[in-house]
Amino acid sequence: MSTMPRFGAGIWHFATYVDRYATEGYGDPVGFTEQIDLAGSVGDLSVVDLNWPFPGFDGSLDDVRAALARNGLEAVAITPEIYNKAFVRGSITNPDPGVRRHALEVLHEATGVARDLGCDYVKLWFGQDGWDYPFQVDYSRLWSQALDGLGELCGAHPDMRFVIEYKPREPRVKIVFPSAARTLLGIERIGLPNLGVLLDFGHSLYGQETPADAAQLCIDHGRLFAIDVNDNMRGWDDDMVVGSVHLVETLEFFHTLRRNGWEGVWQLDQFPFREDSVEAARAGVRAMKAIHRALDTLDEEALAEAQSRHDALAAQRLVQRALLTAMAGDL
């Protein structure tokens, strides 16, 4: 049995959610340090990804360190909020140069917090950077602004890694970094070694990619720095529990990571709107542990032989045998 990976979660997994229908929320408010305590109660998490600014929190960085320490957790990343009301027309591509400067100030500040907490990376999700209508933007100018802003940020902090979390849409109808391929094009154009990709499994599904193929593409370019894992129905970014819909594709995704010797954190990005957040996290980790066991027993030689013939049925039989056997012990 190979060594289990480290498991993590976005701290928002343990928050209370709202949408445009239940605007009052799906539960009682959960404070920031209480979210950390809930993450600690899962039992299998080693790290968490933290929003910046810390939501609804007026304590000190030492208070956050204390909350992490008492739960046996570390901060793996900081995700700066460059997608809220201040940036509804974009962050580093906003038409207002003052807003673009403000976005970079937030990003520089978040990088300092990440450095202070010993994080592995700063996660950049440009959810408001894009367009909604034909003729709304000058595509060349928007792309240049995105690359210029990223180049300035990453160039100013060569000791810190940055990751772009791509997504096809939402909240903008079209997001400037919508796919693995376009994101890699931008990263290669910038040309800095500390900028890579965070591949969100659900975003890849939602974008009609094959997540394993997208992961291989990013690995081949040396740019797969981090992953987030969840599931959806492929028509929206539902952020469901890992393996609840696309279990075989999830196994294929992690098989690609193992085959390439990728050793990062297996991190949850789930939104349990109506489910207990701790139990949802445990369910996601349980699925990932089963996948890890399945990868240990998968007959790689037979799989390689089946793949050499493009034999889908032979490959599926091998995968089903490994996966169903691995999961049986947890059911």
Side-chain angles (χ1 to χ4, degrees), residues 95-155:
D96 184 335
V99 177
R100 294 200 300 273
R101 284 194 299 271
H102 175 49
L104 282 167
E105 289 169 1
V106 172
L107 292 170
H108 288 302
E109 184 178 38
T111 304
V113 173
R115 186 178 292 111
D116 288 343
L117 289 175
C119 294
D120 291 350
Y121 57 90
V122 175
K123 181 166 77 176
L124 308 172
W125 179 58
F126 295 105
Q128 299 285 8
D129 289 270
W131 61 92
D132 306 304
Y133 289 90
F135 289 100
Q136 183 175 3
V137 301
D138 178 329
Y139 301 116
S140 177
R141 183 177 183 184
L142 192 81
W143 187 239
S144 294
Q145 288 174 335
L147 301 190
D148 290 347
L150 280 166
E152 177 182 333
L153 174 67
C154 299

Side-chain angles (χ1 to χ4, degrees), residues 240-312:
M240 297 162 69
V241 170
V242 174
S244 55
V245 183
H246 295 93
L247 183 57
V248 173
E249 285 184 89
T250 307
L251 176 66
E252 184 187 35
F253 174 72
F254 282 114
H255 178 260
T256 298
L257 300 185
R258 179 179 290 200
R259 185 179 60 192
N260 287 276
W262 191 89
E263 296 182 343
V265 173
W266 292 20
Q267 183 145 293
L268 300 173
D269 183 11
Q270 303 176 160
F271 276 59
F273 278 79
R274 300 167 183 84
E275 293 73 36
D276 179 271
S277 63
V278 172
E279 289 305 313
R282 288 173 178 164
V285 172
R286 187 165 59 245
M288 290 191 291
K289 284 183 173 181
I291 286 168
H292 185 269
R293 292 194 301 270
L295 292 174
D296 280 340
T297 61
L298 182 61
D299 188 335
E300 293 286 355
E301 184 175 343
L303 178 62
E305 196 277 331
Q307 289 181 333
S308 73
R309 295 182 286 107
H310 292 199
D311 190 334

Side-chain angles (χ1 to χ4, degrees), residues 9-27:
I11 199 62
W12 48 88
H13 183 290
F14 304 97
T16 300
Y17 307 105
V18 300
D19 61 23
R20 59 181 177 152
Y21 300 103
T23 55
E24 72 281 11
Y26 280 81

